[in-house]
Amino acid sequence: MAQARAWQRMLSGRRLDLLDPTPFDIEIEDIAHGLAFVARWNGQTKGDWPYSVAEHSLLVDDIFARLSPATPQERLTALLHDAPEYVIGDMISPVKSAVGPGYEELDDRLAAAIHRRFGLPSVTPTRLKRRIKQADRISAWLEAVHIAGFARSEADRFFGAPDLDMIADLTISLRPPAEVRTAFLDRHATLLEACDA
């Protein structure tokens, strides 16, 4: 019996093996394109455009930078925190729980290859992971309240009540995927250049 195909052809021409990904098959253009077309909240958001994982990643980086001083490498890690979703998609937390540890293992393998590709540690240090998760939860709260139909009390219960003063000027952007892709690529380039400085 033939073995099932476990790779995907990327628009760059790269062939990414999902079970054994290598940094050589990772291109930021593929990541930005994929994330710009993957909708968060399973697409159940208000507005004329889907709220993409790329847009979410930009917001997480913005929040992460506000929470405490961060190095360019830490911010790049925050920007790429959901990067594996460019090829495996975004699953809401209840589905991830139902799928079990297989999803997390796949996500971890892809994240390690992506991190190595851009000069980051394969495994994000626990302390940094907690800081990024804090920014991620604040982003989820903003998204839940502003575009996903949650009441504040409900968002507080699921994601924790954020410091409203710290996020008062932040807005949720809904843009065409091509614009989000460009913004993600620009942010990545800026952070990568700062890492190399």
Side-chain angles (χ1 to χ4, degrees):
M1 181 164 63
Q3 186 174 355
R5 179 172 68 94
W7 56 268
Q8 180 174 339
R9 172 88 54 208
M10 298 293 145
L11 288 178
S12 65
R14 299 284 188 190
R15 192 171 94 167
L16 181 66
D17 184 333
L18 299 176
L19 300 179
D20 188 23
T22 73
F24 302 108
D25 295 320
I26 308 290
E27 297 293 342
I28 192 59
E29 292 80 8
D30 293 331
I31 293 172
H33 182 82
L35 295 182
F37 281 88
V38 173
R40 277 185 52 86
W41 303 94
N42 284 340
Q44 298 301 305
T45 53
K46 300 173 187 174
D48 294 330
W49 298 102
Y51 184 72
S52 72
V53 175
E55 199 76 76
H56 163 77
S57 298
L58 291 165
L59 182 59
V60 168
D61 174 48
D62 288 338
I63 294 168
F64 179 76
R66 289 176 179 215
L67 288 172
S68 62
T71 68
Q73 291 85 358
E74 290 171 334
R75 287 193 56 197
L76 184 59
T77 305
L79 180 69
L80 296 172
H81 79 283
D82 280 338
E85 294 177 9
Y86 87 106
V87 70
I88 59 175
D90 180 40
M91 283 193 217
I92 59 173
S93 296
V95 175
K96 288 179 186 175
S97 297
V99 170
Y103 178 87
E104 189 174 341
E105 291 166 9
L106 180 60
D107 186 90
D108 288 345
R109 279 195 301 273
L110 286 163
I114 292 165
H115 287 183
R116 287 194 309 273
R117 170 67 174 86
F118 300 111
L120 300 170
S122 296
V123 177
T124 302
T126 303
R127 187 169 176 270
L128 176 56
K129 201 171 200 169
R130 277 197 299 263
R131 290 171 54 209
I132 294 169
K133 188 62 181 171
Q134 181 184 8
D136 193 32
R137 290 177 65 83
I138 294 169
S139 175
W141 186 94
L142 274 166
E143 295 162 19
V145 169
H146 291 278
I147 58 171
F150 284 57
R152 276 191 177 188
S153 59
E154 189 178 22
D156 288 351
R157 189 168 64 251
F158 287 115
F159 308 110
D163 175 354
L164 295 178
D165 290 334
M166 191 263 293
I167 60 171
D169 64 326
L170 292 177
T171 58
I172 299 294
S173 298
L174 296 172
R175 300 182 277 181
E179 286 182 28
V180 181
R181 178 180 60 211
T182 298
F184 187 93
L185 286 169
D186 290 347
R187 179 79 57 89
H188 180 269
T190 298
L191 292 173
L192 199 58
E193 184 179 339
C195 289
D196 294 337

